[in-house]
Amino acid sequence: MKYIALLIAFFIGIITYAQVGIGTSTPDNSSVLDISSSDKGILIPRLSAIERLSITSPAEGLMVYQTDDVEGFYFYDGTSWDRVLKESKDAIPVGAIFTFPIDTAPSGYLICDGSAVSRTTYANLFALLGTTYGMGDGSTTFNLPDYRGKFMRGVDNGSGNDPDATTRQDRGDGTIGDAVGTQQNGAMAIHNHAVNAPHATTDSAGSHSHYTNTTNLSTQNSGNHSHLTSPSNAYTSPPSAQHNHALRGEYRNVSGAFGSTRFVLDNGGPQTFITLASGNHTHTVNIPSVSTNNSGNHNHSLTIPGLSTDNTGSHNHTLNLPSFNSDDTGTSENRPTNISVLWCIKY
């Protein structure tokens, strides 16, 4: 009966004051339950992840402490369980860079597109970046980093993994070289391509000859000139049958050992003297050196007849091919397989 009396008195107190104080006789007016202690705390139900997820129809605001997997306080928001974050462990620091598979920046993030943003609205981010990536308007704005269409690369920091680190370009505040935020243009490592001209022969084409077509050519004009023929000896050909020759001249009275009358050769003489027949023979003709008259500025036509080489039997031909370059192939840049994402920065 004593315990029943105490229980009745407890409920009467709740009904009377609508407040409960544990460790205090004056619970705060804004609380239903005010627990006060200088050396103890509240211990709410401790459950495993499976036990938490097995609660049937949890009430909105229900809280438990999970003891396994990702430990911590969890509360039910009416739709799902959320973990109470510990700022020193779970909070995302200002300036953190993330990639997102969406077209717009999530809440709390800005797209890394190099744009100028307010130094006041994004004071925490400005305190971190300052004007590293650009001055903005010089007073009220500053520039974000611009990562559009670019791959990220860790700062070399003397490792030698970026052999051109010292030539990296301005990040926005004049800083160049091996520093965070500096840039590099696309490039290809030094290389060459060896092209050895092949030594080739044609297939054997059987016994054959080669024909050159008749060609008509004209020499170039060489000014007013003449032509000289060299002296030469020639023979009549073929030998003619037995024959004699007629000689022109005249008979003259000349004193001498053979009498007073002789036949004197003279191309203009009035008389003809016939030699005796001397049988089948030829004649030597001496052609003197002759120079043609000058005929003014002129050229000469040459006709080169069609020729055919001798038949040399079954054979082939050796071809020496010169060095050459291949046609251009590929695209406008060197790149690995990739997927585009949205680079964003936490503010």
Side-chain angles (χ1 to χ4, degrees):
M1 294 298 292
K2 179 179 179 182
Y3 292 107
I4 294 175
L6 289 174
L7 186 59
I8 293 172
F10 176 75
F11 282 109
I12 291 173
I14 293 176
I15 295 171
T16 303
Y17 299 101
Q19 295 173 305
V20 175
I22 299 177
T24 178
S25 59
T26 56
D28 190 275
N29 291 331
S30 64
S31 68
V32 173
L33 175 62
D34 186 349
I35 301 174
S36 178
S37 175
S38 60
D39 58 358
K40 293 179 177 63
I42 297 174
L43 190 60
I44 68 172
R46 291 161 289 174
L47 288 74
S48 67
I50 294 177
E51 290 170 336
R52 173 177 62 80
L53 295 174
S54 298
I55 297 175
T56 303
S57 301
E60 183 176 355
L62 183 66
M63 177 177 284
V64 299
Y65 183 84
Q66 184 170 300
T67 58
D68 62 355
D69 195 17
V70 181
E71 299 178 356
F73 289 97
Y74 287 78
F75 66 94
Y76 193 75
D77 64 4
T79 303
S80 62
W81 288 96
D82 292 323
R83 186 167 69 91
V84 177
L85 300 181
K86 181 179 180 181
E87 186 173 352
S88 61
K89 177 187 289 187
D90 302 307
I92 298 173
V94 171
I97 299 294
F98 287 90
T99 58
F100 294 95
I102 52 179
D103 294 328
T104 57
S107 176
Y109 293 85
L110 295 171
I111 298 175
C112 296
D113 58 3
S115 60
V117 296
S118 170
R119 299 184 181 190
T120 302
T121 304
Y122 305 104
N124 291 336
L125 186 58
F126 177 64
L128 178 70
L129 298 182
T131 57
T132 297
Y133 296 98
M135 293 288 295
D137 63 4
S139 59
T140 63
T141 63
F142 68 102
N143 289 98
L144 300 172
D146 189 355
Y147 296 156
R148 293 173 297 176
K150 298 177 181 178
F151 294 97
M152 295 299 170
R153 182 174 192 171
V155 64
D156 184 74
N157 198 25
S159 68
N161 293 324
D162 181 356
D164 298 320
T166 58
T167 64
R168 296 181 69 88
Q169 301 170 14
D170 185 3
R171 67 186 181 185
D173 63 351
T175 300
I176 60 175
D178 187 17
V180 173
T182 54
Q183 306 179 61
Q184 280 179 326
N185 292 330
M188 179 180 290
I190 297 173
H191 66 287
N192 56 37
H193 300 274
V195 178
N196 295 322
H199 187 75
T201 59
T202 61
D203 292 337
S204 179
S207 178
H208 64 281
S209 60
H210 302 272
Y211 181 76
T212 60
N213 294 324
T214 300
T215 305
N216 293 319
L217 301 175
S218 179
T219 61
Q220 292 181 345
N221 290 337
S222 57
N224 185 23
H225 64 281
S226 61
H227 301 275
L228 177 67
T229 60
S230 298
S232 62
N233 294 323
Y235 298 89
T236 59
S237 177
S240 59
Q242 178 174 307
H243 63 280
N244 51 27
H245 301 275
L247 303 176
R248 298 287 296 178
E250 65 180 339
Y251 288 98
R252 295 179 185 175
N253 292 322
V254 180
S255 298
F258 299 99
S260 60
T261 302
R262 293 181 182 177
F263 186 82
V264 179
L265 293 175
D266 183 354
N267 287 337
Q271 297 171 321
T272 301
F273 179 79
I274 303 301
T275 63
L276 296 176
S278 59
N280 187 9
H281 65 277
T282 61
H283 302 273
T284 300
V285 179
N286 293 321
I287 302 173
S289 176
V290 178
S291 179
T292 63
N293 293 329
N294 288 340
S295 58
N297 186 17
H298 65 281
N299 53 27
H300 304 274
S301 296
L302 303 175
T303 298
I304 302 175
L307 300 174
S308 180
T309 62
D310 291 336
N311 202 329
T312 57
S314 180
H315 64 282
N316 52 29
H317 303 272
T318 298
L319 303 176
N320 290 320
L321 302 179
S323 298
F324 57 91
N325 292 323
S326 63
D327 292 335
D328 292 336
T329 61
T331 62
S332 59
E333 65 177 357
N334 297 310
R335 59 174 177 261
T337 301
N338 64 85
I339 296 175
S340 58
V341 294
L342 193 66
W343 289 104
C344 295
I345 188 169
K346 177 69 175 173
Y347 66 79

